[in-house]
Amino acid sequence: MRTALVPLLALSCGLLSASAQPPQKDPPPIVISPKTGGTAKDPPGMIVIRPGGQTRPANPPANPGVPTLTTPGVAPAQPASPAPAAEPKDGTVLFEYWFAAAVEGQRIGYLHWTGREVTRNGMKFWEGVKAQNFTVARFGQTVSQWGEESTVETPEGEVLVTSMRQGLGKDQALALTGVVKGNVLEVRGEGAAAMAHNTPWPGGVVGITREPRLFKEKALKPGESFDYLMYVPQVNRVVKTTTTLEAEESAVLWQGIPPRRLLRFVSKMEPVGTFRLPPAAVWCDAVSLEPLRVEFDFPGLGGRVTFLRTTKDAATKPITKPVELFNAQSIALDRPVPGIHARASAVYKVSIPKDEEPGSVFPSDGRQEVKNLDPQAKTLELHVSATHGPVRGAAAQPAPGPEFLGSSYFINWDNDLVKAHARRAVAGLPANVSDWEKARAVERWVNQNMKAVEFSQAMATADNVARTLSGDCTEYAMLAAAMCRAVGVPSRTVLGLVYATDQKTGKPFLAYHMWTEAFAEGQWLPLDATLGQGGVGPGHVKITDHSWHEEKSFAPLLPVLRVLMAKPAVEVLRVSP
């Protein structure tokens, strides 16, 4: 059973935003204190296949609550014997599964997985849908995150069409549809995502309807394995999964229900770049081989994630105590560093116990450098310097390609509103002003005009942010990057960590964060519109950067997920004035 949707949903709403403030002579500390605040007819002679996804509002309301699960098995109040679903008007139900989702026993939402058989022009097709909804909290503010995948397959299991919908910002969703043509998947988006691109498509990719049937098809004995290919639309990749039957066991899944015979499988996905999704344990009924429980570790949500089969009513009960994401998505520091954003440099000792190649987790560039790597102990030092504008005497870096000036799905600057904001930002600057001064003016304008900091958005596109002028660090960074490009300055976003303190406890930590880099005077120079200080200090630690060129997936987030999964520990060794 695929788990890719879970960590990407979680991360997309887990990045930090500092409260926007006007520029000051001395950088303010980053403190966690959020503000409150029609049906087309088929052409004759053609078979038209339309993915059978559920219709949802672009930004559905949050589920207001979910009781904490109290048993070690993370059992909701009702057992997994859902009442038969009403047959859809168009098709026959093949299966319908409701799973309650929890982290360490605390409910976060649900997964609804369905398959049905439909008839089009006398031919039968299978349509599968996976719909997921999580209700979590960020700094006390309730956040609803939702996503949906669907496939259309032949009864023999050949995938013909894929689709994905993912909530992004206010009244905004990313919607993609892929059509299989030979050895490629032709992916197209809706609205602003209408650009097309192709993805390699090998034979034998398994769709959403066939996937739960694989356990029964393969009829494994303990110790045996099978491989299958699956498409992960959130990263736009086909990946291989290896599933092994580890054992037969007896276990209690639901309160008040006797133990039952189960087969425990373990599914492992191959790495996507340098990131490997966590293995998932899947318990199937020993007779029917239908999935009943899925578990995997995900530090980004706070620990062990469980999906437990149940009824619709039990799965969709309101969330009364949302999981606080920030508790899981930050790295505690050993000591505070007052005024770190105004300091010249800092050295951190980083332990990375859960990664096989710790030396490649953090990059070295002109502002930070990995030193004293100990591969055996899985420790390293990160030497990070402040940068506030072009560095005199620095070696020129390679000129950026056209992708750093182009308009893309997320950094879509080629629209009236983004360009209007950009013109306002640079109004009054001299005609011969440098690219750095343009970028600095953009940072200042975004900092001063994005007043409504809130955490309900996942990763809105720049045009959406230009309209709402609200969001968290991802929205600040996307808008700043788009406005830089609108005035002719190459730009990219940076994902990393930023030093902050808890306002209530005063404890320091590194929180996951996004900012912007602009290319000026032959150098990539950092800017953080959430602070508006014309650069960044040693409290900003870089993990990765991206142009978002032709990107309509969340693949650029994978390096950050890798850090989350590695469970790093960080100490402050020294700080320079």
Side-chain angles (χ1 to χ4, degrees):
M1 180 176 171
R2 69 191 72 188
T3 59
L5 188 63
V6 177
L8 287 168
L9 269 174
L11 179 63
S12 66
C13 66
L15 298 171
L16 169 72
S17 175
S19 298
Q21 302 182 42
Q24 302 176 25
K25 183 177 181 181
D26 296 320
I30 298 177
V31 175
I32 302 306
S33 180
K35 298 179 182 179
T36 60
T39 304
K41 294 183 178 180
D42 293 352
M46 298 182 64
I47 298 174
V48 179
I49 300 171
R50 297 184 178 90
Q54 300 176 6
T55 302
R56 294 171 175 269
N59 189 22
N63 257 354
V66 174
T68 301
L69 303 179
T70 57
T71 67
V74 194
Q78 303 179 53
S81 53
E87 182 173 313
K89 295 179 180 179
D90 184 11
T92 302
V93 172
L94 299 172
F95 64 85
E96 182 173 25
Y97 303 148
W98 287 94
F99 290 87
V103 176
E104 298 294 344
Q106 186 173 346
R107 287 280 303 280
I108 58 173
Y110 65 84
L111 172 69
H112 185 208
W113 189 359
T114 60
R116 60 177 178 160
E117 186 175 79
V118 299
T119 301
R120 299 282 186 265
N121 287 9
M123 298 182 64
K124 293 187 181 297
F125 299 94
W126 285 356
E127 294 185 350
V129 180
K130 273 187 177 179
Q132 180 177 300
N133 190 294
F134 283 176
T135 299
V136 294
R138 296 187 64 198
F139 318 117
Q141 180 177 342
T142 299
V143 179
S144 180
Q145 292 294 312
W146 63 272
E148 182 178 280
E149 304 174 25
S150 67
T151 56
V152 177
E153 310 151 44
T154 67
E156 294 73 34
E158 179 186 0
V159 177
L160 305 174
V161 179
T162 72
S163 71
M164 183 267 282
R165 298 185 70 235
Q166 166 76 61
L168 294 179
K170 290 183 176 179
D171 304 317
Q172 185 179 34
L174 172 60
L176 303 175
T177 298
V179 178
V180 178
K181 294 188 177 180
N183 60 356
V184 299
L185 180 71
E186 294 186 355
V187 181
R188 293 184 179 274
E190 298 177 7
M195 297 169 288
H197 62 275
N198 294 339
T199 295
W201 192 265
V205 177
V206 173
I208 289 173
T209 307
R210 186 183 172 209
E211 186 182 6
R213 299 182 172 211
L214 291 176
F215 300 106
K216 192 168 186 177
E217 287 181 16
K218 302 301 181 180
L220 299 181
K221 296 178 181 179
E224 293 181 340
S225 302
F226 66 88
D227 295 336
Y228 69 99
L229 299 175
M230 61 184 243
Y231 175 64
V232 183
Q234 291 77 23
V235 295
N236 193 29
R237 306 284 193 279
V238 174
V239 298
K240 182 178 74 174
T241 295
T242 299
T243 297
T244 303
L245 174 55
E246 290 201 335
E248 179 177 331
E249 57 193 33
S250 178
V252 174
L253 295 183
W254 308 280
Q255 292 176 330
I257 303 298
R260 62 195 298 169
R261 289 176 53 232
L262 303 171
L263 298 180
R264 186 180 77 246
F265 297 83
V266 173
S267 294
K268 297 180 180 180
M269 289 178 58
E270 67 179 347
V272 181
T274 60
F275 174 71
R276 184 187 297 272
L277 286 163
V282 184
W283 284 265
C284 293
D285 181 86
V287 177
S288 69
L289 288 173
E290 289 191 333
L292 299 179
R293 185 172 75 185
V294 181
E295 290 187 357
F296 59 95
D297 282 318
F298 184 60
L301 279 172
R304 193 76 170 166
V305 178
T306 300
F307 289 87
L308 184 64
R309 181 95 168 270
T310 185
T311 63
K312 176 181 178 180
D313 288 343
T316 58
K317 282 184 178 179
I319 307 278
T320 56
K321 186 181 179 183
V323 169
E324 176 55 66
L325 283 185
F326 187 72
N327 296 335
Q329 296 183 346
S330 61
I331 302 171
L333 290 174
D334 60 319
R335 62 183 177 93
V337 184
I340 189 171
H341 299 296
R343 301 292 189 97
S345 65
V347 178
Y348 304 94
K349 181 179 179 180
V350 186
S351 301
I352 310 177
K354 298 291 185 179
D355 197 280
E356 296 303 316
E357 299 180 5
S360 64
V361 172
F362 294 95
S364 292
D365 61 12
R367 199 180 67 84
Q368 73 179 36
E369 186 176 1
V370 175
K371 295 183 178 181
N372 299 324
L373 171 65
D374 186 337
Q376 298 300 318
K378 294 188 176 181
T379 61
L380 55 87
E381 289 182 2
L382 267 178
H383 294 241
V384 184
S385 299
T387 299
H388 292 86
V391 179
R392 293 183 180 180
Q397 299 174 14
E403 66 271 22
F404 296 97
L405 275 171
S407 187
S408 58
Y409 174 70
F410 283 99
I411 305 178
N412 54 341
W413 65 265
D414 195 11
N415 61 82
D416 291 342
L417 192 52
V418 172
K419 289 190 285 189
H421 290 337
R423 287 194 299 270
R424 295 186 187 99
V426 300
L429 294 180
N432 61 345
V433 69
S434 68
D435 282 354
W436 168 246
E437 288 303 321
K438 291 180 184 177
R440 178 68 183 89
V442 165
E443 181 206 48
R444 183 165 51 246
W445 190 94
V446 174
N447 173 264
Q448 292 177 344
N449 287 275
M450 285 190 65
K451 301 297 185 183
V453 178
E454 47 82 31
F455 307 104
S456 64
Q457 306 192 56
M459 189 172 292
T461 57
D463 65 325
N464 186 278
V465 183
R467 177 176 58 83
T468 66
L469 290 179
S470 69
D472 57 24
C473 64
T474 57
E475 283 69 49
Y476 278 74
M478 289 294 184
L479 181 59
M483 289 172 59
C484 281
R485 295 183 188 186
V487 296
V489 180
S491 67
R492 63 193 185 191
T493 64
V494 177
L495 285 157
L497 300 158
V498 67
Y499 179 97
T501 55
D502 187 304
Q503 188 180 43
K504 293 182 179 179
T505 66
K507 293 182 178 179
F509 48 80
L510 292 175
Y512 292 91
H513 189 52
M514 183 186 280
W515 59 96
T516 309
E517 286 182 345
F519 191 82
E521 298 190 29
Q523 304 167 42
W524 281 108
L525 302 170
L527 294 162
D528 189 345
T530 62
L531 291 176
Q533 297 297 321
V536 301
H540 285 67
V541 177
K542 184 175 182 176
I543 295 174
T544 189
D545 57 62
H546 209 280
S547 70
W548 297 89
H549 175 64
E550 294 185 348
E551 189 63 75
K552 295 191 289 289
S553 79
F554 295 109
L557 302 180
L558 291 178
V560 180
L561 275 176
R562 179 185 178 190
V563 176
L564 273 169
M565 298 299 298
K567 297 184 178 180
V570 181
E571 301 175 32
V572 181
L573 294 184
R574 56 186 178 274
V575 181
S576 299

